[in-house]
Amino acid sequence: MNLYIRKADLAVGNILVITNQSKETMFIAGRDKNNPFLIKLYNRLNTLIGEIKLKNNFLKIYSIEINGEEKATINALPMIDLKFVYLSKANWSVKGNLVESNYHVTQSGKEIIQVQPTILYQGHLGLEMSFDNLDDGPMGTLLAIFLDKYIKLPTIAPKADLNNFVKSKTPYLNNFKNK
């Protein structure tokens, strides 16, 4: 089964609509305005089925709860190596390019979820989530939303420091002037 999320909703919205291929709403995710680390997932009938919340602010441990029961914890956000995340309790490993949202989730070596960027109807950018088992849908959806919202690229200091990374001080276009 495939589910889709619009990237524009992930970037600025507090409400996310997760649809299937027929554009039917499968889940609705909401982010609390007062606590941006709290993401709640509802089904079509507006029943709370899962949430991600900050469990320990000092150690940056996040908890994924499905139907009120803690199913997984994310121990830390990978800031240096953006290629791997491990979810304890659920025993899920997330591997791939997390920055581009192109990764797959495995459990005991078997792939259970694949997430990749896609272009939705009317040219909107989005995420496509492919599930082998629909029971993994709520937790996989919360994981995809969480990784897309809170993975941050390491930032470089202001433009003055960018010259340290450039080998030549000569502008690139000056090398191609007509002689």
Side-chain angles (χ1 to χ4, degrees):
M1 171 173 215
N2 292 349
L3 296 178
Y4 301 91
I5 305 173
R6 280 181 19 157
K7 290 284 266 184
D9 293 342
L10 286 167
V12 296
N14 287 329
I15 305 268
L16 303 165
V17 178
I18 297 91
T19 60
N20 63 8
Q21 290 175 330
S22 304
K23 300 178 190 168
E24 294 176 295
T25 300
M26 298 300 291
F27 302 116
I28 299 168
R31 191 164 46 111
D32 189 19
K33 291 180 183 180
N34 298 328
N35 183 4
F37 294 112
L38 178 63
I39 300 171
K40 294 185 177 190
L41 187 68
Y42 300 90
N43 64 9
R44 292 186 253 210
L45 303 173
N46 205 21
T47 304
L48 179 67
I49 56 173
E51 61 186 2
I52 290 183
K53 55 185 164 184
L54 184 62
K55 188 174 180 179
N56 185 324
N57 192 22
F58 179 70
L59 297 174
K60 298 295 185 204
I61 296 175
Y62 297 87
S63 170
I64 298 178
E65 294 182 4
I66 303 296
N67 296 324
E69 181 183 343
E70 185 177 58
K71 295 287 188 179
T73 56
I74 302 173
N75 292 332
L77 284 179
M79 292 298 182
I80 297 171
D81 183 15
L82 295 170
K83 296 179 181 176
F84 180 79
V85 170
Y86 179 73
L87 278 75
S88 62
K89 290 193 178 186
N91 196 23
W92 284 13
S93 298
V94 182
K95 299 175 185 171
N97 192 333
L98 301 179
V99 175
E100 292 181 6
S101 296
N102 191 3
Y103 52 87
H104 58 274
V105 180
T106 59
Q107 182 180 32
S108 302
K110 181 184 174 206
E111 184 176 288
I112 54 174
I113 302 169
Q114 183 175 356
V115 178
Q116 61 191 9
T118 188
I119 297 177
L120 302 173
Y121 58 94
Q122 297 180 351
H124 295 287
L125 297 176
L127 289 180
E128 177 182 352
M129 300 174 290
S130 302
F131 299 93
D132 288 338
N133 186 357
L134 188 56
D135 292 339
D136 296 327
M139 196 158 100
T141 301
L142 283 170
L143 177 65
I145 292 169
F146 177 78
L147 291 178
D148 197 76
K149 285 296 265 183
Y150 297 111
I151 291 289
K152 303 288 187 228
L153 286 171
T155 56
I156 298 175
K159 287 186 177 183
D161 292 348
L162 288 176
N163 290 333
N164 296 336
F165 298 110
V166 179
K167 290 182 181 178
S168 172
K169 301 292 183 193
T170 309
Y172 176 75
L173 294 175
N174 283 351
N175 295 332
F176 296 105
K177 284 186 177 178
N178 292 335
K179 296 181 178 178

